[in-house]
Amino acid sequence: VQLVESGGGLVQPGGSLVLSCAASGFTFSTYAMSWVRQAPGKEREGVVAIHTTTDSTFYADSVKGRFTISQDSGKHTVYLQMNSLTPDDTAMYYCAATYGLGTRDPLSWVHYQYWGQGTQVTVS
């Protein structure tokens, strides 16, 4: 299983970024995918998730209305559109995948077995 993130960078407050996560090595359509972030000195936080089978999406309150997760099943890629960014969104963003999530909380990062290397987002 391989997850490769891209799209991070430096952006001014109020700006936008799009992160991508290219997945390989597993049956993309049977997994749950999530974007998890971690800022220095802060706990890891699952901010968005998607069930690739049903296209159901989940958002943390901290990003609801500003972030959008989507998928392109043909490209085995998950995207994170981030709008109205604030300095509080500064963090390393990781793409994560899990199989068989069931009824467990899709925003709880502890349930995810596979992780990308992360991409840095800095809002300043």
Side-chain angles (χ1 to χ4, degrees), residues 37-95:
R37 69 185 182 185
Q38 188 164 24
K42 294 186 178 180
E43 293 187 358
R44 195 170 293 189
E45 176 189 21
V47 293
V48 298
I50 186 168
H51 280 297
T52 57
T53 303
T54 64
D55 216 27
S56 298
T57 57
F58 308 87
Y59 295 92
D61 288 343
S62 58
V63 304
K64 200 171 293 183
R66 300 187 300 121
F67 289 13
T68 303
I69 187 171
S70 61
Q71 62 168 323
D72 183 332
S73 57
K75 295 182 178 180
H76 292 190
T77 299
V78 171
Y79 302 97
L80 180 62
Q81 173 72 51
M82 304 186 294
N83 298 327
S84 302
L85 287 162
T86 75
D88 287 342
D89 296 314
T90 296
M92 184 71 79
Y93 282 72
Y94 297 92
C95 178

